Each structure stands twice: as C-alpha cells, then as structure tokens.
C-alpha cells in the first residue's frame, strides 16, 4: 500500500512539473542532445557497478569467499528489488541472502550492508559539503542547507566512529520512538555494534573502503555532470558537486517512488541559474535512469533471490 501511495505521489509531482513546463521543449532537448556524451554518461553505470561490487567483495571477512561475480549479481538483484519493494528491502534481502548462502554468519551480513550504506550516505554528504562550501551563489536557502548538510555529516561521522555516541543515540531514539519501532531499533543497534567491532579492527581496510566509497560517489556526481554535457547545457563542475547531491538527498525523502518527482523538482529548482526547466526535467529523467538501468540489468538474476525475499517477509506475514 505504501508503495502504491509513493508511486501516486511521484506521478502527481511529475504531472505538475510537465504541465508547468513546455513538454515539447523537453522532447526538443533530447532530440538536440550530444549522442557521444549521452553514450559516455549512460555507460558510466558499468564501471560504477563494478566498483561497488569490488567494494562489497572487499568488505567480506578475509577467509570468506564471495567474488566479484556474485557481488555483482547481488547488487543488481537488490537494485531490482529496491524498485519494487518498500523501505530499501532489496538491501536487506541482499544481507539475508549472503547469510543464507553461507557467505556470512549471524547478524554480520546485516552489519556489512549497514556499513556499506552508511559509507555511501556519508560520502555523498562529504561531497555535498565540499561543493556547498565552494558554491559562490549562496542565498539564505543555501546557507541553511549548508548548515544542515554539515551538521548531518558531523552527526553520521560520530555515529560511525564513536561507539559511545552510537550507544547514546540508540538509547535516546528508543526512548522517544513509538513502541512499534523499538524492536527495529534494537535490531539495528545490535547490527551497528557488531559493525563497530568488526570494521574498526583493521584500520587499513577501513581506510581503503572509505576512500573507495568517496571515489564511487565522485563517479556518480561526475556521471550527472556528463548528463548535463550530453544535454548541451553547462554547469561548473564545482557547482555540480554542490547541487547534484542536494537533489539526490531530496530524492531520498520517503515520499515518492524511488525519488521520482522530488528529485526532479529539486533539479529544476537548484539548476535554474544555469539552464531552463525543460533541460532540468530532462536531467531528472537521466538521473532516474541511474537507478532504472541496474534494476533492469538485475532482472535475469532475480529468480534465484526471490526465495530469500519470501523467507524474509514470512515472519512479518
């Protein structure tokens, strides 16, 4: 039901956007695009998925076999599941499947996925902070967003780096959260504690994973900049480092289907100093393709993972 509501919200926002802008202008933007840059920008999905697969394989314990191929299939299948299941359950299913196949034991598989997603989110925030601090056109809204993003970066850095801070956060969250969420917070706290114990043992491994995550997200933001070039538009790269993460963060709000709608509206708002609304709407469609292409590529591998999803959902039913 939640998925249907989020899809309806996305369609309403998109309808409002396309009703307000010149839809024929949107078609014209794609007709006049640079096909070479379009191929390059869309093709960046391949190395980005490979880098993410390498990181997942690298995250595994030393004597545990996963392999780049299996990691790649897991990531693609979870991308497919994230498009059709609520609350990023595709990532949870990925953790469950690693445990089911014997790659990891206990709650370490969930801890690994939690750490992986935490690195992604913090890397996105760090690039956003870097871009916002250098962004020249700061009005009141951008100063507020800069303060919010910097504060979020400090908070998540402490949550990842400090066991004491994480313990205090979970105690506070469970004290103020509704009763129905407390069991989930207990599970997350256990996984978070295990993540701290496991990943902070090897500082060199931690540095490699952190650097890899930062470079992966630089690749994602570079891909969005290539999308802009493909649309025969222009934005300074440093400005793109500030604006594109803000749009991605808007798409992470749990309001719409895969961020469609909120991300598009944010792109139109943030990039208006550089190009018109039809071009920004076209950029929104290309940004959606960043999630759609891996989801389609994961369809051939989905069957072997569906049993894991059914077992994951069975206790809930």
């Amino acid at each position: 039901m939640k998925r249907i509501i989020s899809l309806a919200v996305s369609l309403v926002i998109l309808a409002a956007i396309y009703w307000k802008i010149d839809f024929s202008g949107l078609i014209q933007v794609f007709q006049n695009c640079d096909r070479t840059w379009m191929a390059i920008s869309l093709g960046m999905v391949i190395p980005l998925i490979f880098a993410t697969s390498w990181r997942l394989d690298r995250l595994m314990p030393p004597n545990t076999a996963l392999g780049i191929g299996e990691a790649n299939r897991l990531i693609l299948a979870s991308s497919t599941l994230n498009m059709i299941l609520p609350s990023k359950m595709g990532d949870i299913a990925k953790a469950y499947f690693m445990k089911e196949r014997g790659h990891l034991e206990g709650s370490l598989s969930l801890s690994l996925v939690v750490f992986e997603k935490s690195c992604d989110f913090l890397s996105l925030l760090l690039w956003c902070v870097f871009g916002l601090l250098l962004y020249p056109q700061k009005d009141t809204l951008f100063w507020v967003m800069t303060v919010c993003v910097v504060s979020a970066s400090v908070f998540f850095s402490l949550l990842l780096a400090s066991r004491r801070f994480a313990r205090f956060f979970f105690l506070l969250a469970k004290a103020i959260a509704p009763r129905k969420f407390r069991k989930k917070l207990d599970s997350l706290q256990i996984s978070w504690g295990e993540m701290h114990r496991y990943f902070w043992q090897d500082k060199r491994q931690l540095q490699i994973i952190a650097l890899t995550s930062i470079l992966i997200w630089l690749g994602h933001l570079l891909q969005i900049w290539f999308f802009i070039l493909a649309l025969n538009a222009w934005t300074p790269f440093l400005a793109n480092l500030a604006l594109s993460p803000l749009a991605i963060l808007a798409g992470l709000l749990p309001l719409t289907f895969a961020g469609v709608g909120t991300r598009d509206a944010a792109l139109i708002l943030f990039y208006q100093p550089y190009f018109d609304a039809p071009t920004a709407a076209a950029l929104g469609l290309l940004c959606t393709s960043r999630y759609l292409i891996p989801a389609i590529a994961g369809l051939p591998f989905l069957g072997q993972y569906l049993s894991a999803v059914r077992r994951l959902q069975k206790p809930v039913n």
Side-chain angles (χ1 to χ4, degrees):
M1 185 63 183
K2 290 181 180 179
R3 209 56 170 171
I4 295 174
I5 294 174
S6 64
L7 179 58
V9 173
S10 290
L11 292 176
V12 169
I13 296 175
L14 287 179
I17 290 173
Y18 294 146
W19 178 77
K20 188 173 182 180
I21 69 173
D22 180 11
F23 187 75
S24 62
L26 173 64
I27 303 299
Q28 191 69 31
V29 169
F30 281 112
Q31 289 177 341
N32 296 334
C33 71
D34 187 311
R35 286 168 174 76
T36 300
W37 275 114
M38 187 65 74
I40 292 172
S41 56
L42 291 173
M44 281 192 68
V45 169
I46 298 173
L48 287 171
I49 290 176
F50 179 82
T52 307
S53 302
W54 181 88
R55 183 186 62 179
L56 179 60
D57 183 51
R58 180 84 191 203
L59 281 168
M60 301 294 288
N63 297 323
T64 305
L66 182 62
I68 296 295
E70 177 73 355
N72 187 67
R73 289 189 291 272
L74 280 167
I75 288 170
L76 291 176
S78 67
S79 298
T80 306
L81 293 171
N82 281 333
M83 293 292 289
I84 59 179
L85 296 176
S87 304
K88 292 290 184 178
M89 191 172 284
D91 292 315
I92 299 175
K94 178 173 66 177
Y96 188 85
F97 191 80
M98 285 190 289
K99 177 182 175 182
E100 186 186 61
R101 288 284 291 268
H103 296 302
L104 292 173
E105 295 181 357
S107 60
L108 184 57
S109 59
L110 181 58
S111 303
L112 187 148
V113 171
V114 168
F115 182 73
E116 179 191 31
K117 294 305 165 186
S118 299
C119 286
D120 275 335
F121 188 61
L122 186 56
S123 298
L124 176 63
L125 288 176
L126 289 176
W127 281 117
C128 191
V129 168
F130 179 75
L132 283 172
L133 291 177
L134 297 178
Y135 188 67
Q137 304 178 33
K138 283 196 182 72
D139 54 15
T140 303
L141 175 62
F142 270 88
W143 276 116
V144 170
M145 288 189 294
T146 300
V147 172
C148 291
V149 173
V150 170
S151 300
S153 299
V154 172
F155 171 77
F156 279 100
S157 296
L158 288 172
L159 202 59
L160 274 175
S162 172
R163 294 184 184 182
R164 183 175 297 179
F165 183 82
R167 191 180 305 113
F168 169 77
F169 166 75
F170 281 110
L171 287 174
L172 180 62
K174 286 187 289 186
I176 63 177
R179 185 182 299 272
K180 63 180 181 179
F181 293 115
R182 290 176 188 173
K183 188 174 181 180
K184 293 182 179 180
L185 285 170
D186 282 333
S187 300
L188 182 58
Q189 183 178 12
I190 293 172
S191 297
W192 203 271
E194 187 167 356
M195 177 194 71
H196 271 283
R197 288 189 295 273
Y198 174 72
F199 290 106
W200 284 94
Q201 290 177 354
D202 189 342
K203 298 296 177 63
R204 183 175 178 275
Q205 166 81 336
L206 188 65
Q207 291 171 355
I208 292 173
I209 296 301
L211 179 60
T212 302
S213 300
I214 291 171
L215 291 177
I216 286 173
W217 269 101
L218 177 60
H220 284 298
L221 302 180
L222 186 64
Q223 182 187 33
I224 295 175
W225 191 58
F226 287 170
F227 283 152
I228 295 173
L229 299 182
L231 296 173
N232 286 315
W234 172 253
T235 302
F237 183 64
L238 288 179
N240 183 69
L241 286 180
L243 301 177
S244 54
L246 287 175
I248 293 173
L249 290 172
L252 293 178
L253 295 174
L255 302 172
T256 56
F257 176 79
V260 175
T262 49
R263 183 173 53 245
D264 301 76
L267 288 168
I268 292 173
L269 173 64
F270 295 144
Y271 282 91
Q272 59 182 347
Y274 300 102
F275 41 77
D276 57 19
T279 303
L283 179 60
L285 291 174
L286 291 175
C287 286
T288 299
S289 74
R290 298 175 57 250
Y291 305 93
L292 187 60
I293 292 174
I296 294 173
L299 286 173
F301 311 114
L302 190 58
Q304 58 183 296
Y305 298 107
L306 285 179
S307 60
V309 178
R310 294 192 188 101
R311 293 185 187 183
L312 181 66
Q313 290 182 315
K314 189 175 180 180
V316 179
N317 296 332

